[in-house]
Amino acid sequence: MPTQDTTRRLPPQSISQDITSLHGFQTINTYETTRADASAANLQQAYQTMLSFQQVEIEKLTLYRAAADAARLAEWEFHNAVLAMKEVVRGQYGSDSDQAQAVGLKKKSERKRSNRKKSVAAAS
């Protein structure tokens, strides 16, 4: 039997089939084994452990998503506040002021003017 790679998740279909097998196993009344890892008590304990860790994972994922949403909204609020501050600076000091340049705006006098192309008269 090849070595199992326990660093990857099992496909949900495999887990579903395993749960179906466990439910089918619970209908067998005469099952007995000397293998501790295949005992009915061990199977039930492993199943309950899996369910509890899945629940913890889902709870933490929910908390992570809520924290990510809150951080995203806070980033947008900060961005919009900075944009509003830049508008106020431009309005209060002018778009060609040193204050406008200090907050990251380009001075109006330093903007590159567009080059007008000379129109070539079409030979008629």
PDB file of all heavy atoms in Angstrom, residues 77-93 99-100 102-105:
ATOM      1  N   GLU A  77     -13.396  52.754   3.731  1.00  0.00           N
ATOM      2  CA  GLU A  77     -13.701  53.974   4.483  1.00  0.00           C
ATOM      3  C   GLU A  77     -12.465  54.864   4.570  1.00  0.00           C
ATOM      4  O   GLU A  77     -12.560  56.087   4.407  1.00  0.00           O
ATOM      5  CB  GLU A  77     -14.207  53.620   5.886  1.00  0.00           C
ATOM      6  CG  GLU A  77     -15.623  53.091   5.884  1.00  0.00           C
ATOM      7  CD  GLU A  77     -16.100  52.717   7.277  1.00  0.00           C
ATOM      8  OE1 GLU A  77     -15.498  53.164   8.276  1.00  0.00           O
ATOM      9  OE2 GLU A  77     -17.092  51.977   7.364  1.00  0.00           O
ATOM     10  N   PHE A  78     -11.292  54.273   4.825  1.00  0.00           N
ATOM     11  CA  PHE A  78     -10.055  55.042   4.884  1.00  0.00           C
ATOM     12  C   PHE A  78      -9.747  55.666   3.527  1.00  0.00           C
ATOM     13  O   PHE A  78      -9.408  56.847   3.440  1.00  0.00           O
ATOM     14  CB  PHE A  78      -8.902  54.138   5.334  1.00  0.00           C
ATOM     15  CG  PHE A  78      -7.560  54.806   5.246  1.00  0.00           C
ATOM     16  CD1 PHE A  78      -7.221  55.843   6.103  1.00  0.00           C
ATOM     17  CD2 PHE A  78      -6.639  54.404   4.301  1.00  0.00           C
ATOM     18  CE1 PHE A  78      -5.988  56.464   6.014  1.00  0.00           C
ATOM     19  CE2 PHE A  78      -5.405  55.009   4.201  1.00  0.00           C
ATOM     20  CZ  PHE A  78      -5.073  56.048   5.064  1.00  0.00           C
ATOM     21  N   HIS A  79      -9.891  54.892   2.462  1.00  0.00           N
ATOM     22  CA  HIS A  79      -9.619  55.381   1.111  1.00  0.00           C
ATOM     23  C   HIS A  79     -10.531  56.557   0.772  1.00  0.00           C
ATOM     24  O   HIS A  79     -10.073  57.590   0.255  1.00  0.00           O
ATOM     25  CB  HIS A  79      -9.803  54.246   0.099  1.00  0.00           C
ATOM     26  CG  HIS A  79      -9.603  54.657  -1.323  1.00  0.00           C
ATOM     27  ND1 HIS A  79      -8.381  55.021  -1.831  1.00  0.00           N
ATOM     28  CD2 HIS A  79     -10.486  54.767  -2.344  1.00  0.00           C
ATOM     29  CE1 HIS A  79      -8.518  55.338  -3.114  1.00  0.00           C
ATOM     30  NE2 HIS A  79      -9.783  55.190  -3.450  1.00  0.00           N
ATOM     31  N   ASN A  80     -11.818  56.423   1.071  1.00  0.00           N
ATOM     32  CA  ASN A  80     -12.761  57.507   0.785  1.00  0.00           C
ATOM     33  C   ASN A  80     -12.466  58.743   1.633  1.00  0.00           C
ATOM     34  O   ASN A  80     -12.627  59.877   1.158  1.00  0.00           O
ATOM     35  CB  ASN A  80     -14.198  57.035   0.990  1.00  0.00           C
ATOM     36  CG  ASN A  80     -14.620  56.060  -0.096  1.00  0.00           C
ATOM     37  OD1 ASN A  80     -14.116  56.100  -1.215  1.00  0.00           O
ATOM     38  ND2 ASN A  80     -15.547  55.180   0.239  1.00  0.00           N
ATOM     39  N   ALA A  81     -12.020  58.561   2.875  1.00  0.00           N
ATOM     40  CA  ALA A  81     -11.656  59.698   3.722  1.00  0.00           C
ATOM     41  C   ALA A  81     -10.447  60.430   3.149  1.00  0.00           C
ATOM     42  O   ALA A  81     -10.392  61.664   3.158  1.00  0.00           O
ATOM     43  CB  ALA A  81     -11.373  59.225   5.148  1.00  0.00           C
ATOM     44  N   VAL A  82      -9.467  59.672   2.636  1.00  0.00           N
ATOM     45  CA  VAL A  82      -8.286  60.295   2.027  1.00  0.00           C
ATOM     46  C   VAL A  82      -8.681  61.055   0.767  1.00  0.00           C
ATOM     47  O   VAL A  82      -8.214  62.177   0.535  1.00  0.00           O
ATOM     48  CB  VAL A  82      -7.183  59.240   1.735  1.00  0.00           C
ATOM     49  CG1 VAL A  82      -6.091  59.822   0.859  1.00  0.00           C
ATOM     50  CG2 VAL A  82      -6.597  58.724   3.037  1.00  0.00           C
ATOM     51  N   LEU A  83      -9.551  60.473  -0.049  1.00  0.00           N
ATOM     52  CA  LEU A  83     -10.015  61.177  -1.249  1.00  0.00           C
ATOM     53  C   LEU A  83     -10.733  62.472  -0.884  1.00  0.00           C
ATOM     54  O   LEU A  83     -10.535  63.508  -1.537  1.00  0.00           O
ATOM     55  CB  LEU A  83     -10.936  60.274  -2.079  1.00  0.00           C
ATOM     56  CG  LEU A  83     -10.278  59.079  -2.766  1.00  0.00           C
ATOM     57  CD1 LEU A  83     -11.332  58.243  -3.491  1.00  0.00           C
ATOM     58  CD2 LEU A  83      -9.198  59.525  -3.733  1.00  0.00           C
ATOM     59  N   ALA A  84     -11.549  62.432   0.150  1.00  0.00           N
ATOM     60  CA  ALA A  84     -12.262  63.629   0.593  1.00  0.00           C
ATOM     61  C   ALA A  84     -11.269  64.682   1.090  1.00  0.00           C
ATOM     62  O   ALA A  84     -11.417  65.879   0.793  1.00  0.00           O
ATOM     63  CB  ALA A  84     -13.261  63.274   1.694  1.00  0.00           C
ATOM     64  N   MET A  85     -10.248  64.247   1.834  1.00  0.00           N
ATOM     65  CA  MET A  85      -9.237  65.180   2.324  1.00  0.00           C
ATOM     66  C   MET A  85      -8.503  65.832   1.161  1.00  0.00           C
ATOM     67  O   MET A  85      -8.244  67.037   1.170  1.00  0.00           O
ATOM     68  CB  MET A  85      -8.246  64.435   3.234  1.00  0.00           C
ATOM     69  CG  MET A  85      -7.064  65.256   3.721  1.00  0.00           C
ATOM     70  SD  MET A  85      -5.571  65.167   2.697  1.00  0.00           S
ATOM     71  CE  MET A  85      -5.227  63.442   2.627  1.00  0.00           C
ATOM     72  N   LYS A  86      -8.182  65.058   0.120  1.00  0.00           N
ATOM     73  CA  LYS A  86      -7.487  65.617  -1.044  1.00  0.00           C
ATOM     74  C   LYS A  86      -8.361  66.658  -1.746  1.00  0.00           C
ATOM     75  O   LYS A  86      -7.869  67.692  -2.195  1.00  0.00           O
ATOM     76  CB  LYS A  86      -7.095  64.510  -2.025  1.00  0.00           C
ATOM     77  CG  LYS A  86      -5.931  63.666  -1.542  1.00  0.00           C
ATOM     78  CD  LYS A  86      -5.586  62.596  -2.554  1.00  0.00           C
ATOM     79  CE  LYS A  86      -4.404  61.758  -2.106  1.00  0.00           C
ATOM     80  NZ  LYS A  86      -4.043  60.745  -3.112  1.00  0.00           N
ATOM     81  N   GLU A  87      -9.663  66.398  -1.838  1.00  0.00           N
ATOM     82  CA  GLU A  87     -10.576  67.375  -2.449  1.00  0.00           C
ATOM     83  C   GLU A  87     -10.613  68.662  -1.646  1.00  0.00           C
ATOM     84  O   GLU A  87     -10.612  69.758  -2.214  1.00  0.00           O
ATOM     85  CB  GLU A  87     -11.989  66.788  -2.550  1.00  0.00           C
ATOM     86  CG  GLU A  87     -12.162  65.757  -3.631  1.00  0.00           C
ATOM     87  CD  GLU A  87     -13.577  65.208  -3.673  1.00  0.00           C
ATOM     88  OE1 GLU A  87     -14.513  65.892  -3.200  1.00  0.00           O
ATOM     89  OE2 GLU A  87     -13.752  64.089  -4.173  1.00  0.00           O
ATOM     90  N   VAL A  88     -10.621  68.538  -0.311  1.00  0.00           N
ATOM     91  CA  VAL A  88     -10.657  69.724   0.538  1.00  0.00           C
ATOM     92  C   VAL A  88      -9.362  70.509   0.391  1.00  0.00           C
ATOM     93  O   VAL A  88      -9.375  71.739   0.283  1.00  0.00           O
ATOM     94  CB  VAL A  88     -10.915  69.334   2.013  1.00  0.00           C
ATOM     95  CG1 VAL A  88     -10.692  70.515   2.946  1.00  0.00           C
ATOM     96  CG2 VAL A  88     -12.320  68.787   2.172  1.00  0.00           C
ATOM     97  N   VAL A  89      -8.222  69.805   0.359  1.00  0.00           N
ATOM     98  CA  VAL A  89      -6.930  70.483   0.202  1.00  0.00           C
ATOM     99  C   VAL A  89      -6.893  71.205  -1.137  1.00  0.00           C
ATOM    100  O   VAL A  89      -6.464  72.366  -1.226  1.00  0.00           O
ATOM    101  CB  VAL A  89      -5.757  69.488   0.340  1.00  0.00           C
ATOM    102  CG1 VAL A  89      -4.450  70.100  -0.138  1.00  0.00           C
ATOM    103  CG2 VAL A  89      -5.625  69.028   1.785  1.00  0.00           C
ATOM    104  N   ARG A  90      -7.342  70.550  -2.189  1.00  0.00           N
ATOM    105  CA  ARG A  90      -7.367  71.179  -3.514  1.00  0.00           C
ATOM    106  C   ARG A  90      -8.281  72.401  -3.511  1.00  0.00           C
ATOM    107  O   ARG A  90      -7.950  73.442  -4.077  1.00  0.00           O
ATOM    108  CB  ARG A  90      -7.827  70.174  -4.562  1.00  0.00           C
ATOM    109  CG  ARG A  90      -7.664  70.701  -5.984  1.00  0.00           C
ATOM    110  CD  ARG A  90      -8.078  69.706  -7.032  1.00  0.00           C
ATOM    111  NE  ARG A  90      -7.448  68.409  -6.797  1.00  0.00           N
ATOM    112  CZ  ARG A  90      -7.989  67.246  -7.147  1.00  0.00           C
ATOM    113  NH1 ARG A  90      -9.161  67.209  -7.752  1.00  0.00           N
ATOM    114  NH2 ARG A  90      -7.381  66.114  -6.892  1.00  0.00           N
ATOM    115  N   GLY A  91      -9.425  72.303  -2.861  1.00  0.00           N
ATOM    116  CA  GLY A  91     -10.359  73.420  -2.814  1.00  0.00           C
ATOM    117  C   GLY A  91      -9.872  74.552  -1.940  1.00  0.00           C
ATOM    118  O   GLY A  91     -10.079  75.730  -2.247  1.00  0.00           O
ATOM    119  N   GLN A  92      -9.220  74.242  -0.841  1.00  0.00           N
ATOM    120  CA  GLN A  92      -8.789  75.265   0.106  1.00  0.00           C
ATOM    121  C   GLN A  92      -7.498  75.951  -0.329  1.00  0.00           C
ATOM    122  O   GLN A  92      -7.355  77.159  -0.175  1.00  0.00           O
ATOM    123  CB  GLN A  92      -8.601  74.632   1.485  1.00  0.00           C
ATOM    124  CG  GLN A  92      -8.386  75.631   2.593  1.00  0.00           C
ATOM    125  CD  GLN A  92      -8.402  74.950   3.961  1.00  0.00           C
ATOM    126  OE1 GLN A  92      -8.532  73.739   4.054  1.00  0.00           O
ATOM    127  NE2 GLN A  92      -8.263  75.735   5.004  1.00  0.00           N
ATOM    128  N   TYR A  93      -6.563  75.175  -0.868  1.00  0.00           N
ATOM    129  CA  TYR A  93      -5.248  75.744  -1.200  1.00  0.00           C
ATOM    130  C   TYR A  93      -5.007  75.903  -2.699  1.00  0.00           C
ATOM    131  O   TYR A  93      -4.059  76.532  -3.101  1.00  0.00           O
ATOM    132  CB  TYR A  93      -4.137  74.867  -0.608  1.00  0.00           C
ATOM    133  CG  TYR A  93      -4.190  74.799   0.905  1.00  0.00           C
ATOM    134  CD1 TYR A  93      -4.713  73.682   1.545  1.00  0.00           C
ATOM    135  CD2 TYR A  93      -3.740  75.855   1.669  1.00  0.00           C
ATOM    136  CE1 TYR A  93      -4.758  73.609   2.920  1.00  0.00           C
ATOM    137  CE2 TYR A  93      -3.791  75.800   3.058  1.00  0.00           C
ATOM    138  CZ  TYR A  93      -4.295  74.662   3.674  1.00  0.00           C
ATOM    139  OH  TYR A  93      -4.351  74.613   5.032  1.00  0.00           O
ATOM    140  N   GLN A  99       0.748  72.543  -0.743  1.00  0.00           N
ATOM    141  CA  GLN A  99      -0.059  71.683   0.122  1.00  0.00           C
ATOM    142  C   GLN A  99      -0.693  70.553  -0.677  1.00  0.00           C
ATOM    143  O   GLN A  99      -0.767  69.417  -0.210  1.00  0.00           O
ATOM    144  CB  GLN A  99      -1.142  72.501   0.838  1.00  0.00           C
ATOM    145  CG  GLN A  99      -0.609  73.464   1.869  1.00  0.00           C
ATOM    146  CD  GLN A  99      -0.160  74.790   1.262  1.00  0.00           C
ATOM    147  OE1 GLN A  99      -0.161  74.977   0.044  1.00  0.00           O
ATOM    148  NE2 GLN A  99       0.240  75.727   2.121  1.00  0.00           N
ATOM    149  N   ALA A 100      -1.142  70.856  -1.890  1.00  0.00           N
ATOM    150  CA  ALA A 100      -1.722  69.818  -2.752  1.00  0.00           C
ATOM    151  C   ALA A 100      -0.661  68.796  -3.108  1.00  0.00           C
ATOM    152  O   ALA A 100      -0.922  67.589  -3.128  1.00  0.00           O
ATOM    153  CB  ALA A 100      -2.320  70.435  -4.015  1.00  0.00           C
ATOM    154  N   ALA A 102       1.903  68.095  -1.254  1.00  0.00           N
ATOM    155  CA  ALA A 102       2.250  67.386  -0.022  1.00  0.00           C
ATOM    156  C   ALA A 102       1.343  66.190   0.232  1.00  0.00           C
ATOM    157  O   ALA A 102       1.772  65.197   0.823  1.00  0.00           O
ATOM    158  CB  ALA A 102       2.196  68.341   1.164  1.00  0.00           C
ATOM    159  N   VAL A 103       0.094  66.262  -0.220  1.00  0.00           N
ATOM    160  CA  VAL A 103      -0.833  65.145   0.012  1.00  0.00           C
ATOM    161  C   VAL A 103      -0.878  64.179  -1.160  1.00  0.00           C
ATOM    162  O   VAL A 103      -1.725  63.288  -1.210  1.00  0.00           O
ATOM    163  CB  VAL A 103      -2.261  65.641   0.355  1.00  0.00           C
ATOM    164  CG1 VAL A 103      -2.265  66.411   1.661  1.00  0.00           C
ATOM    165  CG2 VAL A 103      -2.859  66.443  -0.775  1.00  0.00           C
ATOM    166  N   GLY A 104       0.047  64.356  -2.117  1.00  0.00           N
ATOM    167  CA  GLY A 104       0.158  63.390  -3.202  1.00  0.00           C
ATOM    168  C   GLY A 104      -0.469  63.807  -4.505  1.00  0.00           C
ATOM    169  O   GLY A 104      -0.511  63.000  -5.446  1.00  0.00           O
ATOM    170  N   LEU A 105      -0.984  65.013  -4.590  1.00  0.00           N
ATOM    171  CA  LEU A 105      -1.566  65.480  -5.845  1.00  0.00           C
ATOM    172  C   LEU A 105      -0.473  66.121  -6.690  1.00  0.00           C
ATOM    173  O   LEU A 105       0.509  66.660  -6.162  1.00  0.00           O
ATOM    174  CB  LEU A 105      -2.673  66.497  -5.577  1.00  0.00           C
ATOM    175  CG  LEU A 105      -3.882  65.970  -4.805  1.00  0.00           C
ATOM    176  CD1 LEU A 105      -4.808  67.113  -4.438  1.00  0.00           C
ATOM    177  CD2 LEU A 105      -4.619  64.924  -5.614  1.00  0.00           C
TER     178      LEU A 105
END
